[in-house]
Amino acid sequence: RGGTEVYLMGNTRAIIRDLKTQPEWQGTQLAYCSCTDEPSWARECLKKFEAADGLSLADAAEHCEIYKGGKQAHFRAIHQRTGIPFEDMLFFDNENHNCVSV
């Protein structure tokens, strides 16, 4: 999608960098969930943004649920694949209705 400006919100880069580099977060798993109509473009963006030198956002995540569908479906898929209990998952979203549904 040439010409479309894409940016990271707030402290996203610093948070992901810390999750991947700081000892106190060792073992923490990172997942991206998106119900975008453009999953291939979303994955391309994740490859282009860096969280730290040489660490793309794509490489920083252990799990990636990017496809049409609600956040509940994304979370169930992560839970089924990892066995991580829902109460141990932390979720952030820029759209309030997604937070309510999860």
Side-chain angles (χ1 to χ4, degrees), residues 7 29 35 47 100:
Y7 60 92
Q29 296 183 42
C35 57
K47 291 176 185 173
V100 171

Side-chain angles (χ1 to χ4, degrees), residues 8 11-22 30 32 45-61:
L8 297 176
N11 294 326
T12 301
R13 185 185 322 271
I15 291 167
I16 293 173
R17 181 194 61 234
D18 285 357
L19 286 173
K20 294 296 148 184
T21 62
Q22 297 303 308
L30 178 64
Y32 301 123
C45 290
L46 290 174
K47 291 176 185 173
K48 292 184 179 206
F49 279 108
E50 285 195 345
D53 288 341
L55 179 66
S56 72
L57 294 186
D59 292 337

